[in-house]
Amino acid sequence: MGKTLAEKIWQEHVVRSAAGEPDLVYIDLHLIHEVTSPQAFDGLRLAGRPVRRPDLTIATEDHNTPTQNIDQPIADPVSKLQVDTLRANCAEFGLRIHSLGDIDQGIVHVVGPQLGLTQPGMTIICGDSHTSTHGAFGALAFGVGTSEVEHVLATQTLPLIRPKMMAVNVEGELAPGVTSKDVILAIIAKIGTGGGVGYIVEYRGSAIRAMTMESRLTICNMSIEAGARAGLIAPDETTFAYIKGKPHAPQDWDGAVAYWKTLTTDADAKFDHEVTLRAEDITPFVTWGTNPGQGAPLSSSVPDPASFTDAEERSAAERALVYMGLEAGMPLKKIAIDTVFLGSCTNGRIEDLRSAAAILDGKKIASTLRMLVVPGSARVRLQAEAEGLDKIFINAGAEWRNAGCSMCLGMNPDQLAVGERSASTSNRNFEGRQGKGGRTHLVSPPVAAATALRGTLSSPADL
Amino acid sequence: MDKFVTHVGTAVPLRRSNVDTDQIIPAVYLKKITRSGFEDGLFNAWRNDPAFELNQEKYKKATILVAGIDFGTGSSREHAVWALQNYGFKVIIAPRFGDIFRGNSGKAGLLTITLSQHDVEALWSAIEAKPDVAITVDLEARTVSYGHSSVGFVIDDYTRWRLMEGLDDIGLTLQQTDSIDAFEKSRSAFKPQTIPAK
């Protein structure tokens, strides 16, 4: 029987396999940031262990970093200590780090691809659940906890039980104005936040193949929101073209491409589970609740909890409407927004900024809201400025910030106040995710821009 | 890591589904650089509510948390596991867990047990009827017992063995250093290196 793409990558990385034990899997690239690493370095020090492969490891600062006044010391002393600790650990163990102010600083999942360090067929881990992002290149990439960060630092391997395989097929052509963010939100609403637990998801079908690299990154990024630790897409010419010319692209380019072309799921491979969506059925999609599975087409209304047959889903919907301050039956487009956040590892790349800027160009955002634009990396920021996008955002009345995770999770000063409502291009609408008591609606960059102009959740077609 | 063979304690019922790791511990509490002291952040948004289960006197001494489906989804923060442990929990029972949370728990010595929705409902009812009901978790026998009830649970042999022996995963892997050395010799030359920076 044939193998899936994920099975092929897995097999190529098994260091040791023994009956009744997890496979010992080799890790090709380890990405590090300040939040989930300090206790791992402490563990190494306590045991007197070195980092096995500093040359397969790279660190950046993203979660805690401010997006304003970055030339000054970090004001929050606890955040500063955590960032300083990362710097000290990298110096002690000989690791490459891109600190705040460095041209290659940014969100860890934006930095890897832009340096060309993310390539097809690799195994990639990071102490961050959105590591699934890198799967867009046909890599097996997943988030881990701090104990596993320490394990990879010490051994460059992880003992892992092989997950099951799921195919999510998106066939057909997306309508204009419908983005990969809408596609992944629709997938999560269909399979649920636990639907992918225990699986690696391969996204397939003509709609996926037609996507740009950055659109694919958005899809794979939110695999974890469907419960899947990893999601991936077979590499193709789009992938190769994106990597070509990047700083760490392979020297033997032809040899690498020849290998990458072998990285596809065999025609006779079997998935444990398959789900199919028709691209034509997908319209701009937003969330109304407090988990990413609680989403609906923007053209619809806040659902009535009584309409859920599953008792758990019903009570979750009831709780979510109370937290979100919404009434069943209210049209989603009537929901007034206080803050629009454009950024994050989901939608903080140059194409995301371009698509929002195209809608805002020459217009003003509603006087009732604020809009934060936070590029995913320092290089994305520079590229946007070279294209004049910063001027479009600033002239529209938005705030143009420096790179980082920012309001996606509010570890830095960019947070929602109690009761404040956001339309956010990030990945999680959990209670309090963007600030205690804050209310989040997940949206695509075009919906974020249209919402900023109208003041209520809107699609570009509403303008 | 401490050995885990059996645990006897009382439990607290958390009748909520989709308790993600942001609920278990919000991001603002992740700035510490130690593994301890996270108990103050545990379920922070709900801890000021006197009706919240953990605030009720009858559940104050609980060491077992019985939660709804999809407990520990979302962020990979192991701090969620540490916060539960720092507070005093030894076992978490739910119908389904987030994959990363479950993995992190196993590494840190917090036992996660998956029971069916039906078995969890029965356990909730039993605890609510008698908050001080003693619950015995026997990892060797793979059973959860209380009153006259006993239900079995599934856990893979390897994770069970590691927890029962309290083994250090890194120490185990370092015994395979020869295999890792050999694997590295066969790695593809195409694979990128971070150093030197380009």
Side-chain angles (χ1 to χ4, degrees), chain A residues 211-232:
Chain A
M211 284 178 187
T212 65
M213 204 58 224
E214 297 197 351
S215 292
R216 295 177 189 184
L217 286 159
T218 302
I219 294 250
C220 290
N221 172 272
M222 289 187 72
S223 301
I224 186 66
E225 270 62 66
R229 220 170 158 178
L232 76 179

Side-chain angles (χ1 to χ4, degrees), chain A residues 16 26 28 39 52-53 55 57 76 82 96 145-147 151 193 198 312 411 428 430-431 433, chain B residues 17-18 20 22-23 30-31 34 44 74-76 78 99 104 168 173 176 181 184 187 191 193-194:
Chain A
R16 179 177 177 274
Y26 198 82
D28 289 322
Q39 298 86 353
R52 181 178 174 94
R53 294 296 298 263
D55 60 332
T57 310
D76 176 352
Q82 198 168 59
R96 174 175 170 188
T146 300
S147 292
H151 198 118
T193 54
E312 278 298 328
M411 276 191 85
R428 287 183 177 141
F430 297 154
E431 289 182 23
R433 168 79 175 182
Chain B
S17 60
N18 261 295
D20 54 75
D22 272 79
Q23 305 314 306
L30 309 185
K31 298 180 185 182
T34 60
N44 179 263
S75 159
S76 65
E78 196 163 318
D99 273 340
N104 289 343
D168 162 23
T173 297
Q176 308 301 331
D181 291 344
E184 284 181 333
R187 281 181 81 231
K191 297 285 168 73
Q193 294 184 319
T194 57

Side-chain angles (χ1 to χ4, degrees), chain A residues 236-277:
Chain A
D236 59 12
E237 295 300 330
T238 302
T239 321
F240 311 150
Y242 193 91
I243 298 169
K244 191 155 196 179
K246 294 280 190 291
H248 287 271
Q251 299 275 322
D252 177 8
W253 178 256
D254 294 339
V257 170
Y259 161 62
W260 293 344
K261 284 183 173 171
T262 68
L263 297 170
T264 56
T265 289
D266 294 329
D268 58 342
K270 211 166 150 40
F271 288 93
D272 300 292
H273 188 58
E274 283 209 54
V275 175
T276 299
L277 283 82

Side-chain angles (χ1 to χ4, degrees), chain A residues 169-173 204-211 279-280:
Chain A
N169 307 300
V170 188
E171 297 288 356
E173 208 172 316
R204 299 156 61 84
S206 53
I208 302 291
R209 286 194 297 275
M211 284 178 187
E280 289 80 6

Side-chain angles (χ1 to χ4, degrees), chain A residues 233-444:
Chain A
I233 294 171
D236 59 12
E237 295 300 330
T238 302
T239 321
F240 311 150
Y242 193 91
I243 298 169
K244 191 155 196 179
K246 294 280 190 291
H248 287 271
Q251 299 275 322
D252 177 8
W253 178 256
D254 294 339
V257 170
Y259 161 62
W260 293 344
K261 284 183 173 171
T262 68
L263 297 170
T264 56
T265 289
D266 294 329
D268 58 342
K270 211 166 150 40
F271 288 93
D272 300 292
H273 188 58
E274 283 209 54
V275 175
T276 299
L277 283 82
R278 266 168 43 94
E280 289 80 6
D281 294 342
I282 302 171
T283 57
F285 213 88
V286 302
T287 60
W288 49 265
T290 54
N291 75 56
Q294 292 175 323
L298 175 57
S299 56
S300 67
S301 301
V302 176
D304 185 346
S307 66
F308 293 96
T309 49
D310 181 87
E312 278 298 328
E313 282 187 40
R314 190 164 54 243
S315 69
E318 283 165 358
R319 262 204 327 275
L321 293 197
V322 171
Y323 182 83
M324 294 295 287
L326 296 173
E327 298 285 337
M330 181 183 184
L332 291 167
K333 288 187 181 175
K334 288 254 164 76
I335 296 173
I337 297 298
D338 304 307
T339 293
V340 172
F341 173 62
L342 176 60
S344 83
C345 58
T346 312
N347 282 127
R349 286 169 287 269
I350 191 68
E351 287 181 13
D352 301 310
L353 302 191
R354 284 179 192 145
S355 72
I359 292 162
L360 294 174
D361 195 3
K363 303 194 176 76
K364 294 279 181 201
I365 64 171
S367 60
T368 51
L369 55 72
R370 63 170 170 157
M371 180 176 188
L372 265 64
V373 184
V374 181
S377 72
R379 283 198 189 272
V380 169
R381 182 181 151 101
L382 284 175
Q383 175 68 29
E385 289 177 349
E387 297 178 18
L389 306 186
D390 58 323
K391 299 282 188 304
I392 293 175
F393 290 122
I394 292 165
N395 291 339
E399 297 175 41
W400 178 244
R401 299 289 189 89
N402 287 282
C405 302
S406 177
M407 195 182 268
C408 175
L409 84 169
M411 276 191 85
N412 75 350
D414 308 337
Q415 297 181 19
L416 294 180
V418 175
E420 194 175 353
R421 187 182 297 279
S422 77
S424 177
T425 65
S426 56
N427 41 58
R428 287 183 177 141
N429 52 341
F430 297 154
E431 289 182 23
R433 168 79 175 182
Q434 297 188 290
K436 196 170 180 174
R439 295 160 167 166
T440 303
H441 297 274
L442 300 178
V443 301
S444 72

Side-chain angles (χ1 to χ4, degrees), chain B residues 147-187:
Chain B
H148 300 293
S149 303
S150 183
V151 286
F153 63 88
V154 176
I155 184 170
D156 68 275
D157 290 341
Y158 185 81
T159 305
R160 174 170 161 269
W161 169 72
R162 267 192 49 250
L163 287 167
M164 287 181 64
E165 298 295 329
L167 292 172
D168 162 23
D169 242 3
I170 298 176
L172 287 176
T173 297
L174 286 173
Q175 293 173 11
Q176 308 301 331
T177 299
D178 289 349
S179 301
I180 301 171
D181 291 344
F183 182 91
E184 284 181 333
K185 291 202 177 77
S186 69
R187 281 181 81 231

Side-chain angles (χ1 to χ4, degrees), chain B:
Chain B
M1 197 162 86
D2 294 338
K3 292 182 181 184
F4 190 116
V5 182
T6 57
H7 175 72
V8 184
T10 59
V12 53
L14 186 63
R15 285 185 181 263
R16 298 180 196 224
S17 60
N18 261 295
V19 176
D20 54 75
T21 52
D22 272 79
Q23 305 314 306
I24 298 172
I25 188 161
V28 291
Y29 288 91
L30 309 185
K31 298 180 185 182
K32 286 199 177 81
I33 54 173
T34 60
R35 271 182 189 250
S36 56
F38 291 99
E39 62 273 22
D40 294 346
L42 181 68
F43 299 125
N44 179 263
W46 306 330
R47 287 287 280 284
N48 292 328
D49 174 5
F52 179 55
E53 288 82 349
L54 262 62
N55 293 333
Q56 297 178 31
E57 199 53 44
K58 58 189 176 186
Y59 298 131
K60 281 264 161 82
K61 292 190 176 136
T63 52
I64 301 168
L65 180 69
V66 186
I69 194 164
D70 291 325
F71 186 83
T73 55
S75 159
S76 65
R77 58 190 70 167
E78 196 163 318
H79 313 67
V81 175
W82 302 335
L84 288 160
Q85 289 181 312
N86 292 165
Y87 180 87
F89 286 115
K90 306 287 183 197
V91 180
I92 315 292
I93 299 173
R96 188 167 59 201
F97 293 92
D99 273 340
I100 304 178
F101 174 82
R102 194 155 202 218
N104 289 343
S105 297
K107 303 289 178 193
L110 178 70
L111 178 61
T112 54
I113 296 177
T114 306
L115 294 183
S116 69
Q117 184 75 32
H118 175 266
D119 287 338
V120 166
E121 302 261 2
L123 197 45
W124 278 338
S125 300
I127 301 162
E128 284 161 359
K130 194 171 180 297
D132 64 348
V133 62
I135 297 172
T136 302
V137 174
D138 186 335
L139 182 56
E140 186 159 28
R142 301 177 220 232
T143 54
V144 176
S145 309
Y146 57 99
H148 300 293
S149 303
S150 183
V151 286
F153 63 88
V154 176
I155 184 170
D156 68 275
D157 290 341
Y158 185 81
T159 305
R160 174 170 161 269
W161 169 72
R162 267 192 49 250
L163 287 167
M164 287 181 64
E165 298 295 329
L167 292 172
D168 162 23
D169 242 3
I170 298 176
L172 287 176
T173 297
L174 286 173
Q175 293 173 11
Q176 308 301 331
T177 299
D178 289 349
S179 301
I180 301 171
D181 291 344
F183 182 91
E184 284 181 333
K185 291 202 177 77
S186 69
R187 281 181 81 231
S188 155
F190 307 131
K191 297 285 168 73
Q193 294 184 319
T194 57
I195 300 170
K198 291 180 185 172

